[in-house]
């Protein structure tokens, strides 16, 4: 009996020990779970206390850099089209054909193609300021290489080689100031001025082109003309020292973001993102919009550029000299500047979310003007009227397209590089095709370029039709506005 009692007591003791151990385990697990939960709660709350909202800020210095970029773009445009209005005089002085003179402008478009895709990669590594310094240095070197080709001690053939070499070097500098315009606007300007800043910087290049049309034919000889543009380029180039990468505090959420690597943007545009890039990659709708914008921008800018290069040859068969044709080209650019300057504030503040509709409505007008020019190019008066309407309608859409491309891609440098690449590629093609399309000596008048104008009309019409498929969702602007509103509510 005693043994049974002892056995029962031992069993009860063992059960109590087991129960105690089980409770200890449960308490330990509960303690660890509570600690883990508290840690998770604390970590999830930490960003609210440790990361205050960014207070976006605008700096007055943004206008200084904007003016500097504008002046450099003006000089770039002058160097590009300096020979277009004096094509026949240059051909006579250097004993070359008009086609070779066209190549002095066309070679700038040609070198633009590889350089435009080099710019986003370079700017990401050395910064916007150093990229512009590189371009300004090339501008000075190219200007004086070109002038060296005018020395009497050099034969005309060797002089032409130096002209081409100088144009290539100055042509290397031009795309940097154009392609980086949207990136500078995004880094320095707020929502209320970003489109206007892009417009001002981008259209400075056409200002230079208009000045080239007016000034190059004023001087007595092409040699003097080349010397003057070299002096102007050298005097303006130091303005690059006023350009800086970014302000201490960003103006918007987009301005605070780092530029994605170039290949990430390229893969996104092509619809081939890597596994880690899927969430930020462009949608199919955005890719379609981007290709429509690239085609439209390339064609319209290419038509205007090719027309400016060929303008002396277009009007010479009708008896007009370099001064008269230069004034026609200048009218196109001046009307464009008036249109862009007068409408950009509206796009910034009134038609903020209607950029795509602006393209759909204005591009048919542009196409109509190029169709009309087929029949009125024989007279200066009608040409002035048609080209003023064309310039007004076309140039106001240039910054709109650049901004809309930034919206659908999310990368200012990559989208601008692609659009300007397209523009210069179409310019090269249009100028090269112009020579075989020109009428023969038996035409009326001999050597007219009516077929070239028909080509311009067909392509501009195709662009206006393609805009039917454009959606143009402005994701970047909506995100910037949402972040700015959240910051105001938090503060």
């Amino acid at each position: 009996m005693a043994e049974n009692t002892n056995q029962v007591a031992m069993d009860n003791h063992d059960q109590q020990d087991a129960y105690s151990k089980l409770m200890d385990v449960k308490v330990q697990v509960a303690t660890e779970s509570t600690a883990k939960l508290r840690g998770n709660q604390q970590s999830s709350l930490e960003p609210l206390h440790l990361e205050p909202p960014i207070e976006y800020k605008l700096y007055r210095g943004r206008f200084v850099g904007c003016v500097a970029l504008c002046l450099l773009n003006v000089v770039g445009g002058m160097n590009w089209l300096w020979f277009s209005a004096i094509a026949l005089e240059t051909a006579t002085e250097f004993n070359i054909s008009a086609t070779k003179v066209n190549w002095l402008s066309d070679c700038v478009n040609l070198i633009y193609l590889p350089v435009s895709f080099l710019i986003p990669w370079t700017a990401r590594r050395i910064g916007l300021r150093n990229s512009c310094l590189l371009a300004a240095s090339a501008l000075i070197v190219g200007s004086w290489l070109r002038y060296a080709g005018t020395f009497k001690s050099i034969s005309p053939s060797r002089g032409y080689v130096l002209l081409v070499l100088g144009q290539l070097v100055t042509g290397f500098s031009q795309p940097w100031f154009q392609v980086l315009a949207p990136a500078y606007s995004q880094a320095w300007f707020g929502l209320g001025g970003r489109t206007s800043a892009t417009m001002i910087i981008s259209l400075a290049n056409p200002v230079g082109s208009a000045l080239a049309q007016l000034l190059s034919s004023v001087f007595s000889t092409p040699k003097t003309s080349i010397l003057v543009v070299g002096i102007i380029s050298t005097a303006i180039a130091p303005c690059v020292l006023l350009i800086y990468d970014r302000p201490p505090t960003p103006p918007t959420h987009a301005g605070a973001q780092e530029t994605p690597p170039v290949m990430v943007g390229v893969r996104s545009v092509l619809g081939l993102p890597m596994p880690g890039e899927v969430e930020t990659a462009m949608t199919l709708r955005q890719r379609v919009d981007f290709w429509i914008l690239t085609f439209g921008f390339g064609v319209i800018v290419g038509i205007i550029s090719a027309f400016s290069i060929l303008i002396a040859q277009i009007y010479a068969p009708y008896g007009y000299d370099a001064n008269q044709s230069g004034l026609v080209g200048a009218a196109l650019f001046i009307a464009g500047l008036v249109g862009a300057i007068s409408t950009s504030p509206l796009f910034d503040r009134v038609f903020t979310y209607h950029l795509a509709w602006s393209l759909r409505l204005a591009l048919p007008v542009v196409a109509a003007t190029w169709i009309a020019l087929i029949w009125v190019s024989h007279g200066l008066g009608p040409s002035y009227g048609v080209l003023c309407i064309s310039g007004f309608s076309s140039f106001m859409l240039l910054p709109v397209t650049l901004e809309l491309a930034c919206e659908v891609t999310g990368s200012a440098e990559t989208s601008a590089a692609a659009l300007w690449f397209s523009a210069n590629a179409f310019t090269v093609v249009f100028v090269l095709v112009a020579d075989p399309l020109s009428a023969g000596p038996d035409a009326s008048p001999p050597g007219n370029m009516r077929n070239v104008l028909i080509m311009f009309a067909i392509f501009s019409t195709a662009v206006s039709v393609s805009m039917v498929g454009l959606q143009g969702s402005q994701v970047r602007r909506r995100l910037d506005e949402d972040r700015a509103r959240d910051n105001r509510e938090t503060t």
Side-chain angles (χ1 to χ4, degrees), residues 37-340:
L37 178 61
R38 288 175 178 173
N40 290 340
Q41 290 175 343
Q42 184 177 2
S43 63
S44 64
L45 293 174
E46 280 177 357
L48 295 176
H49 301 287
L50 297 179
E51 295 183 9
I54 298 175
E55 295 183 3
Y56 301 125
K57 185 177 179 181
L58 295 174
Y59 294 84
R60 293 181 180 177
R62 68 189 186 277
F63 297 112
V64 176
C66 183
V67 171
L69 271 175
C70 287
L71 291 174
L72 291 166
N73 261 314
V74 168
V75 173
M78 291 176 65
N79 281 274
W80 169 43
L81 286 184
W82 194 256
F83 295 96
S84 62
I86 56 171
L88 301 180
E89 291 82 357
T90 304
T92 301
E93 180 159 330
F94 288 89
N95 194 26
I96 55 177
S97 64
T99 302
K100 287 188 175 182
V101 178
N102 290 342
W103 268 106
L104 293 176
S105 299
D106 221 9
C107 68
V108 175
N109 301 111
L110 199 60
I111 196 172
Y112 203 117
L113 303 180
V115 175
S116 60
F117 277 108
L118 177 68
I119 292 171
W121 180 85
T122 306
R124 178 178 169 81
R125 281 159 177 76
I126 68 174
L128 188 147
R129 176 182 170 86
N130 290 332
S131 298
C132 292
L133 283 169
L134 174 66
S137 302
L139 182 63
I140 296 173
V141 173
S143 297
W144 296 109
L145 271 176
R146 188 173 49 207
Y147 181 67
T150 65
F151 293 166
K152 295 298 183 181
S153 58
I154 301 176
S155 65
S157 59
R158 292 183 179 180
Y160 176 72
V161 171
L162 285 174
L163 284 181
V164 172
L165 183 60
Q167 282 293 92
L168 287 173
V169 177
T170 56
F172 171 85
S173 69
Q174 181 181 351
W176 298 84
F177 309 126
Q178 284 187 302
V179 171
L180 293 175
Y184 183 85
S185 300
Q186 178 174 284
W188 284 88
F189 285 84
L191 290 172
R194 196 160 59 193
T195 301
S196 295
T198 301
M199 179 275 298
I200 292 170
I201 299 172
S202 300
L203 293 182
N205 188 273
V207 170
S209 301
L211 290 174
Q213 303 276 1
L214 293 172
L215 298 179
S216 61
S217 58
V218 170
F219 305 99
S220 57
T221 64
K223 179 179 180 178
T224 305
S225 185
I226 294 170
L227 173 62
V228 170
V229 74
I231 294 173
I232 294 173
S233 301
T234 306
I236 296 297
C239 290
V240 73
L241 299 174
L242 302 174
I243 301 171
Y244 292 90
D245 289 320
R246 58 180 62 247
T249 303
T252 61
H253 172 72
Q257 306 305 306
E258 290 292 333
T259 302
V262 178
M263 290 310 300
V264 172
V266 172
R267 287 193 294 267
S268 180
V269 168
L270 296 177
L272 302 171
M274 301 292 285
E277 303 165 0
V278 175
E279 293 184 0
T280 58
M282 296 169 63
T283 63
L284 176 60
R285 177 69 261 180
Q286 289 174 326
R287 292 199 300 273
V288 171
D289 282 352
F290 177 73
W291 290 116
I292 291 174
L293 290 170
T294 303
F295 171 71
F297 186 90
V299 168
I300 298 302
V301 177
I303 287 174
I304 294 173
S305 301
F307 178 81
S308 302
I309 293 171
L310 300 168
I311 192 166
Q313 298 161 67
I314 290 174
Y315 286 95
Y318 300 103
Y320 301 114
D321 59 22
N323 288 325
Q324 292 171 312
S325 59
L327 288 173
V328 172
L332 171 68
F333 286 107
I334 293 172
L337 294 174
V338 172

Side-chain angles (χ1 to χ4, degrees), residues 185-486:
S185 300
Q186 178 174 284
W188 284 88
F189 285 84
L191 290 172
R194 196 160 59 193
T195 301
S196 295
T198 301
M199 179 275 298
I200 292 170
I201 299 172
S202 300
L203 293 182
N205 188 273
V207 170
S209 301
L211 290 174
Q213 303 276 1
L214 293 172
L215 298 179
S216 61
S217 58
V218 170
F219 305 99
S220 57
T221 64
K223 179 179 180 178
T224 305
S225 185
I226 294 170
L227 173 62
V228 170
V229 74
I231 294 173
I232 294 173
S233 301
T234 306
I236 296 297
C239 290
V240 73
L241 299 174
L242 302 174
I243 301 171
Y244 292 90
D245 289 320
R246 58 180 62 247
T249 303
T252 61
H253 172 72
Q257 306 305 306
E258 290 292 333
T259 302
V262 178
M263 290 310 300
V264 172
V266 172
R267 287 193 294 267
S268 180
V269 168
L270 296 177
L272 302 171
M274 301 292 285
E277 303 165 0
V278 175
E279 293 184 0
T280 58
M282 296 169 63
T283 63
L284 176 60
R285 177 69 261 180
Q286 289 174 326
R287 292 199 300 273
V288 171
D289 282 352
F290 177 73
W291 290 116
I292 291 174
L293 290 170
T294 303
F295 171 71
F297 186 90
V299 168
I300 298 302
V301 177
I303 287 174
I304 294 173
S305 301
F307 178 81
S308 302
I309 293 171
L310 300 168
I311 192 166
Q313 298 161 67
I314 290 174
Y315 286 95
Y318 300 103
Y320 301 114
D321 59 22
N323 288 325
Q324 292 171 312
S325 59
L327 288 173
V328 172
L332 171 68
F333 286 107
I334 293 172
L337 294 174
V338 172
I341 293 171
S342 60
T343 57
S344 63
L346 297 177
F347 291 122
D348 262 331
R349 294 174 173 82
V350 181
F351 304 120
T352 304
Y353 289 105
H354 302 287
L355 301 185
W357 271 106
S358 302
L359 294 175
R360 295 191 194 104
L361 294 175
L363 282 170
V365 177
V366 175
T369 59
W370 289 108
I371 293 173
L373 194 64
I374 298 172
W375 287 278
V376 304
S377 59
H378 62 277
L380 283 185
S383 293
Y384 276 122
V386 169
L387 289 174
C388 283
I389 297 172
S390 180
F392 188 96
S393 304
S394 301
F395 280 57
M396 72 177 187
L397 300 179
L398 188 149
V400 170
T401 310
L402 287 169
E403 280 295 301
L404 204 52
C406 293
E407 295 284 350
V408 299
T409 62
S411 175
E413 291 94 335
T414 303
S415 60
L419 263 61
W420 284 114
F421 177 94
S422 174
N424 284 271
F426 275 107
T427 302
V428 171
V429 172
F430 289 152
V431 173
L432 291 178
V433 172
D435 194 39
L437 285 180
S438 301
D442 299 330
S444 177
N448 71 80
M449 289 193 165
R450 180 185 174 88
N451 291 333
V452 176
L453 298 178
I454 293 174
M455 176 182 66
F456 291 164
I458 292 172
F459 273 88
S460 60
T461 303
V463 168
S464 65
V465 173
S466 71
M467 291 299 143
V468 175
L470 179 67
Q471 185 182 72
S473 178
Q474 296 172 243
V475 178
R476 182 184 64 161
R477 176 173 283 273
R478 293 185 187 278
L479 180 59
D480 281 343
E481 290 182 349
D482 289 343
R483 291 299 178 92
R485 183 170 53 251
D486 292 342

